[in-house]
Amino acid sequence: MEFSLPLPVPAIVALAAGMVAGVTDVWKYKVYNALTIPLIVSGLLYHGIVSGGEGFLGSLVGMVFGFGILLVPFLLGGMGAGDVKLMAGVGAWLGMPTTFYVFIVTGLVCGACALLMAAFQNGGLRGAVINLLIVWNRLGSFARHFGGEDWVETQGVKRDGAHRVIPFGAMVAVGVITTLVWMWWQ
């Protein structure tokens, strides 16, 4: 399989934005609109101006993928809106399929982080199983607003802040760095 490395400017912008988002997300558990909105708009504009209609279309597809792939987890309460907009901004700059690779790497890093955290937080293994059952319940009810909250409240694991234990913005930064280094190495 042949991979094409993104242009230097989009790669640098995506790396810088990912690093800024990673720092603010670890520090404040927030990815700010002051970063994500200009990231999305500038990515679309850059590709529209530099590459014309084809570049704009690729940027738009990357943005829609980045936004759409995280929409359901956001609606289920699994992440913040800033995380979704960050992935959309990364998609606007890197386009497809690079955004897909970033998403896969980010998911793997989040999974590894979640496994480590499950062993040390939220009641250990019992807490992790209960948290998975809560997610399953929410999926079955299509969203947290349509039911299941009474069941969640009866569980013995303290859930304060448990809905946001992994700073996803930092994981996106790791995903961008890893993907770009991997593509460069290929």
Side-chain angles (χ1 to χ4, degrees):
M1 180 178 248
E2 188 173 319
F3 301 103
S4 62
L5 191 62
L7 297 171
V9 171
I12 291 168
V13 170
L15 282 169
M19 292 169 75
V20 168
V23 168
T24 61
D25 207 19
V26 168
W27 182 29
K28 302 265 187 174
Y29 281 98
K30 185 155 179 71
V31 178
Y32 292 97
N33 284 340
L35 173 69
T36 58
I37 301 301
L39 185 66
I40 294 168
V41 172
S42 64
L44 293 171
L45 286 174
Y46 174 83
H47 287 290
I49 293 169
V50 171
S51 305
E54 187 175 318
F56 176 78
L57 183 60
S59 178
L60 185 63
V61 169
M63 181 204 71
V64 169
F65 174 80
F67 181 84
I69 198 75
L70 297 180
L71 187 58
V72 170
F74 165 72
L75 292 174
L76 292 173
M79 65 180 48
D83 300 323
V84 178
K85 291 179 277 188
L86 174 63
M87 197 65 166
V90 167
W93 274 98
L94 298 180
M96 287 293 288
T98 307
T99 303
F100 174 75
Y101 300 136
V102 169
F103 172 73
I104 295 298
V105 172
T106 300
L108 292 172
V109 171
C110 277
C113 188
L115 287 174
L116 289 173
M117 293 179 84
F120 299 108
Q121 288 184 335
N122 297 329
L125 182 59
R126 179 182 181 277
V129 169
I130 289 175
N131 287 338
L132 287 172
L133 289 172
I134 290 168
V135 169
W136 181 257
N137 185 301
R138 286 183 176 174
L139 286 171
S141 62
F142 297 107
R144 67 176 184 258
H145 303 292
F146 298 129
E149 293 300 317
D150 293 336
W151 183 82
V152 170
E153 295 302 322
T154 63
Q155 299 308 305
V157 176
K158 186 175 180 181
R159 302 242 339 131
D160 293 338
H163 67 283
R164 182 66 199 276
V165 294
I166 298 175
F168 192 79
M171 302 300 114
V172 170
V174 172
V176 169
I177 292 166
T178 304
T179 300
L180 292 177
V181 167
W182 175 64
M183 291 176 89
W184 178 70
W185 221 220
Q186 297 296 319

